[in-house]
Amino acid sequence: MAGLFITFEGGEGAGKSTQIRHLAAHLAENGMDVLVTREPGGSPGAEAVRHVILSGAAEAYGPAMEAVLFAAARSDHVEQLIRPAIAADKTVLCDRFIDSSRVYQGVTGGLAPSLIRAIERVAIDGMVPDLTIILDLPAEKGLARAMHRRGEAAADRFEKETLATHEARREAFLAIAAAEPERCRVVDADRPKEEVSEEIIAIVEKLIENRAETSSKTGRTLAKPA
Ligand code: TMP
């Protein structure tokens, strides 16, 4: 069976990396071959672009420039790392993916959905996540967590924006989840991390069970489009 591709989305300080670590450890303990990665980044080419974007070096050229840079990084990441890993039966857990572009560059960056979707198609070439966990948290709480984590370091290109912008992003993630309930699951992240982790594990175990059932019924593996 082709590996599973699971992405984690949400605003700043929602706890994505902690939850990805817990889930990865749980799946590995259960014998799964797990690969943890992140965006922007994950492959050498994409990590180079990450530096350009998050330093704010491209901000002056506008959200369309940034959207194309995110997409260039994504395409490299998909082709160099994600697609080969999925083909090798690995379970890939990715910190941010297409929904971050839809929300940050699309909704709060003001780019047209048609442009965002066109760039997205080119960047992922069919590599749609099997599951997207959206960690939901009031923006104010997420920003406080992110500030605490950062310590003395300055806020990055996107963290530094206004509370209203962060709140709009939260709403935009929830709107994606409502529009694509097959792919997306919203998890309340405003709880102790152990509770959040338990819910995520239950969601992923259900997905694995459903997949195994489907492939035993059809006698086919669920390979991803090339
Ligand atoms: P992070 O690694 O701390 O999550 O930082 C990534 C930042 O980049 C975060 O503020 C969200 C933003 N971002 C976008 O604006 N668009 C994207 O497509 C991705 C992947 C991230």
Side-chain angles (χ1 to χ4, degrees):
M1 200 188 298
L4 279 177
F5 180 30
I6 303 174
T7 59
F8 285 73
E9 299 277 6
E12 314 296 327
K16 291 184 278 65
S17 25
T18 306
Q19 291 304 329
I20 289 173
R21 258 199 321 277
H22 281 167
L23 178 63
H26 174 84
L27 296 176
E29 274 164 24
N30 286 280
M32 293 178 74
D33 195 355
V34 183
L35 178 80
V36 171
T37 187
R38 68 164 180 188
E39 288 210 346
S43 60
E47 288 290 334
V49 177
R50 175 184 177 94
H51 176 71
V52 172
I53 303 172
L54 296 188
S55 67
E59 185 176 0
Y61 308 112
M65 168 69 107
E66 289 180 316
V68 172
L69 287 172
F70 274 113
R74 181 160 301 134
S75 169
D76 191 70
H77 186 210
V78 165
E79 300 313 333
Q80 300 301 320
L81 195 84
I82 298 174
R83 202 185 307 277
I86 297 289
D89 291 351
K90 292 189 187 184
T91 292
V92 176
L93 307 183
C94 186
D95 189 338
R96 298 194 182 278
F97 196 58
I98 48 176
D99 303 300
S100 283
S101 286
R102 292 183 189 178
V103 167
Y104 284 72
Q105 284 64 58
V107 177
T108 57
L111 295 182
S114 56
L115 174 64
I116 289 289
R117 292 307 178 106
I119 301 174
E120 175 182 308
R121 263 197 308 281
V122 173
I124 69 171
D125 194 13
M127 188 52 65
V128 177
D130 296 295
L131 169 69
T132 296
I133 302 277
I134 295 176
L135 290 175
D136 180 53
L137 183 71
E140 208 165 0
K141 289 193 179 175
L143 286 175
R145 281 191 195 173
M147 199 190 293
H148 180 73
R149 184 183 57 202
R150 198 171 68 230
E152 299 290 294
D156 74 24
R157 152 77 184 91
F158 298 98
E159 257 174 40
K160 71 176 165 56
E161 290 178 309
T162 64
L163 181 60
T165 300
H166 288 285
E167 203 44 64
R169 288 176 182 151
R170 179 190 189 194
E171 294 307 319
F173 278 120
L174 293 175
I176 292 174
E180 293 185 47
E182 293 282 300
R183 173 174 70 87
C184 302
R185 295 291 299 270
V186 177
V187 171
D188 176 5
D190 193 8
R191 291 181 293 166
K193 55 179 185 286
E194 294 74 19
E195 267 179 47
V196 177
S197 175
E198 262 174 43
E199 185 176 344
I200 293 173
I201 288 171
I203 292 170
V204 172
E205 285 184 344
K206 186 86 196 138
L207 172 69
I208 295 171
E209 224 176 271
N210 290 347
R211 255 207 162 196
E213 258 173 41
T214 313
S215 69
S216 75
K217 266 189 210 141
T218 60
R220 283 192 294 114
T221 56
L222 300 174
K224 295 227 158 234

